[in-house]
Amino acid sequence: MKVALETLLASAPYLQSLADRHADWFAAARKLSPDTALAAVLDQVAKAGQAASTEDEIGRELRIAKGRVALLAAVSEVEGRWTTAQSTAALSDLADAALDAGLEVLLRLAAARGLTGATAANSGLALFALGKHGGRELNYSSDIDIVAFFDPDKGAVKERGEETKFFTRIVQRLASLMQDRTEHGYVFRTDLRLRPDPGATPVALPTEAALAYYESRGQNWERAAWIKARPCAGDREVGERFLKDLAPYVWRKHLDFATIADIQAMKRQINITKNVGDARVAGHNVKLGLGGIREIEFFTQTQQLIAGGRDQALRVRPTALALKALAAANWISRRAAEDLTRIYWFLRGVENRLQMLRDEQTHVMPEAEADIAVIGTLMGEANLPAFETAYRAALNQVVGYYSDLFAEGESLAAGGGNLVFTGSDDDPETIETLSGMGFKAPSKAIETVKKWHYGSYAATRAAAARAHLTELLPALLATISGAGNPDEALARFDNFLSRLPSGVQLFALLRNHENLRSLLVALMASAPRMADAVIHRAHVMDGLIDPAFADDVRRRETLLGKIEAFFADARDYQDVIDRARIIGQEQMFLIAAGLLAGSMDAARAGEQFTTLAEALLTRLFDAVRREFEKRHGVVPGARVALLAFGKMASREMTARSDLDFIMLYDTVGADESDGEKPLAASQYYARLTQRLLAALSAPTSEGVLYEADMRLRPSGNAGPLATSLLGFIQYHHESAWTWEHLALSRARVVYADGELGAKVDATVAEILARPRDAAKTIDDVLTMRALVSKERSPRHAFDLKLAAGGLVDLEFIAQSAQLVAGDTVAAPQATTGVVLRRLAETGLVPEGLRLAEILELYSTVLQVMSAALADPFKDEGWTEAFRELLAQRTNTPNFERLAADISEMEAEVSAAAGAWYAKARGL
């Protein structure tokens, strides 16, 4: 049904204003065919491009032309003199002409300043129209999607090396010329974001750089965008050459099943509904909604991508022609092509009428029935129910074809909502979905995810990584949304991703294991040190996949079995060194994960950290000795032992503990080794110790295993690295300080030849059992504690080792008791907790059991801090999530209560220490 001009102008204030402004021209144009009227306007635009001498002058001419073509296209389409296809082509042709004319003027002005001598046609700068503009299908109030690439070898810019800067300014000025609003209106809103990685690149790029991006990091949605691309202005020769060079990227020679899978994954991010049914017409998005324009375009372009590499007949830009070509090649039925083409132009007609009323860039049907009736009337259907019925029928047909094409595969949408991160515009339904998931800044979240897809990080640069990421995203975002503060959790994951060297392995793991996703997101919030470990070694997460992890991580024999099995295949000495670091870092991570996940308590974690350290120390020492003996032989009859101190001795190591030990040797007769390069015994064992320290601490390609601390050897750093047993005995009988005997009170042999271990144990017991002046010993202890307080003050409120009433005070109580009341305690070389309990049992420290409980809590806090935080004494790591984790692992209602409890405990320890020292003086 033909619509009267009066009806159109009465419904469309924008068109009425144009008719008033261009009244004389409009009256004359009504007497011509629309094609003739359009040709005259385009000719005037071309002449203005050649004649205009200022930006203001060409800007005014282009805006006048836009108003006239906008009026002509709307009236001609609604009156039926043009089809919607002809109307959209007219707007597209105007955009081409405006860009060419504007560029011509800008280059002429630049030439007047001596910057170039080129015209638009030979400038080397090609402007590409993408999207609907590229297909000559611009909607009535559409943006134009422009990409600008240039060939620097054309020599258009006078100053070599300044091409990017020059053309970037030209393109920016051209965009302003198109879209800035003046009293004459605007020409076209111009979107430059479809260029490669728009957040990191200038608006004009060299063609070689663009090709390199697409070949290495281009995404399938970008391939789809380039299906319709065409040179629309500037140097069309450069443009055509670029398209030819880009063709292998867009059009793959073979059926690329990885691409098909990625396309299907892209589609499965969009929620599929099989039937629109009685869905409301009011508020429906004609472009992005169910059964809308985008679904027809996606239906068409995905099949062009899949098959167009082998069939050049499918490489056509307009959607309707592409549907016809797909039917001709039997990719779709002729009926499907006809149905979808008819519906496409029906929906495009609706879209045009929505926009022409007020020149609004809207795609959403009105809410009020009267307003919907206006659209129906302008579509030639004055009966509202009939229009709504036809509209729903169109959507239903699209949904039917669309869902059949993409029916396979599990949905990658999120709980009934879209998760689409392709293209330059944010998908409205994705914003709604993310908001529903708890994101307060959904657009920021979309921007972050798009950055991943652009391959901006090393972890997402590989096509395989991006394919895994596409599949992973919905589940990952769901996990992140459950992290309490989704925006903050996503920001942490983005930071994590930015530092990850490779993503393929990790993304594949996270895709298939929900527990790993939850754990990793939790670790980022509460345990950044653990997240850093994953960055450096993604494989450390492998062990978490094992269903038996929670139980196995607690078992000493399981840990030793894994270590033994891993070393079994070592090829040589260097391989042993590397394998120690690989298995060591992996098992440290797993033990820490078990602790933080609550699979084991701090005491068991300390035992497992120590078991790991002892096992690796033993195997490395064996390997070092074998390698050392190849050149230096052995000292006949000599034996060697490693004596551990500190946390290693008491089996309370943390994820950050050093190895505190000394090497002792005992010779019988021989003073020299018997190898090719013989060494005196003292030199032999000193060098052997150096080799062992290097095996433990030297950085290799696999990192550092442990730092070693040998300051507890006789005479400390001034003494030899290895000590003879006789020298050790003599030193402790004659020269040792009280603090060295305190350390000796929990020393333990962790490696020994033959009977030397028992001999060292007996030596230590004899040293500790020597009679000593209790008062002087306690005075020495107090002097040492005062010195520690002076030289090593607490670095943080939770520095529970050094705090007054902290771990050092508990250890000094236990160790001093071993020196002055060892016979009564009767627990030689026992741990601090055991000694405190014995002190309670014997009545020496009535508060001993309470002190043991406090020790347990202190140990838990320090274990969790060591495992979770890269720097436990910097406040930035103390996130709300970490504080909550700390409260959970200490079985405390909340962190505030934990802090208050610790303050009270420190006071209790200080009081108990004072009482003990007063009593101990008189023993």
Side-chain angles (χ1 to χ4, degrees), residues 361-570:
Q361 192 182 18
T362 181
H363 308 280
V364 179
M365 292 290 281
E367 292 288 346
E369 285 191 355
D371 294 331
I372 299 174
V374 169
I375 302 302
T377 298
L378 296 183
M379 287 291 292
E381 179 53 78
N383 183 285
L384 177 60
F387 172 67
E388 290 188 325
T389 298
Y391 188 83
R392 287 195 190 95
L395 302 183
N396 261 319
Q397 278 194 283
V398 174
V399 166
Y401 286 120
Y402 191 59
S403 59
D404 286 345
L405 179 64
F406 292 106
E408 67 277 16
E410 176 189 359
S411 173
L412 294 181
N418 285 1
L419 284 175
V420 178
F421 301 99
T422 56
S424 59
D425 295 324
D426 293 349
D427 174 54
E429 291 186 40
T430 298
I431 289 178
E432 185 178 336
T433 301
L434 291 173
S435 296
M437 295 171 79
F439 287 89
K440 291 184 174 61
S443 291
K444 176 67 174 175
I446 291 173
E447 179 186 339
T448 298
V449 174
K450 283 183 177 180
K451 180 170 57 178
W452 303 345
H453 280 302
Y454 274 118
S456 298
Y457 298 148
T460 61
R461 211 151 283 159
R466 293 197 299 276
H468 282 304
L469 182 61
T470 300
E471 296 276 353
L472 166 66
L473 261 175
L476 176 64
L477 289 173
T479 302
I480 286 173
S481 74
N485 185 334
D487 299 270
E488 186 178 319
L490 182 64
R492 280 193 296 264
F493 192 88
D494 180 57
N495 176 266
F496 167 84
L497 212 57
S498 72
R499 295 179 291 138
L500 189 68
S502 174
V504 175
Q505 179 186 14
L506 182 63
F507 295 160
L509 280 174
L510 296 179
R511 234 180 98 188
N512 295 308
H513 299 280
E514 180 181 358
N515 64 315
L516 290 191
R517 291 196 299 273
S518 300
L519 178 61
L520 184 57
V521 170
L523 291 179
M524 286 172 196
S526 61
R529 183 176 184 272
M530 298 286 283
D532 286 345
V534 177
I535 287 173
H536 295 112
R537 299 186 175 283
H539 73 77
V540 295
M541 296 193 75
D542 292 356
L544 298 176
I545 300 169
D546 190 340
F549 162 74
D551 185 55
D552 284 354
V553 74
R554 304 174 69 255
R555 297 184 178 278
R556 171 183 169 84
E557 61 274 16
T558 303
L559 175 57
L560 291 174
K562 288 180 178 179
I563 295 169
E564 198 65 46
F566 194 72
F567 276 104
D569 295 327

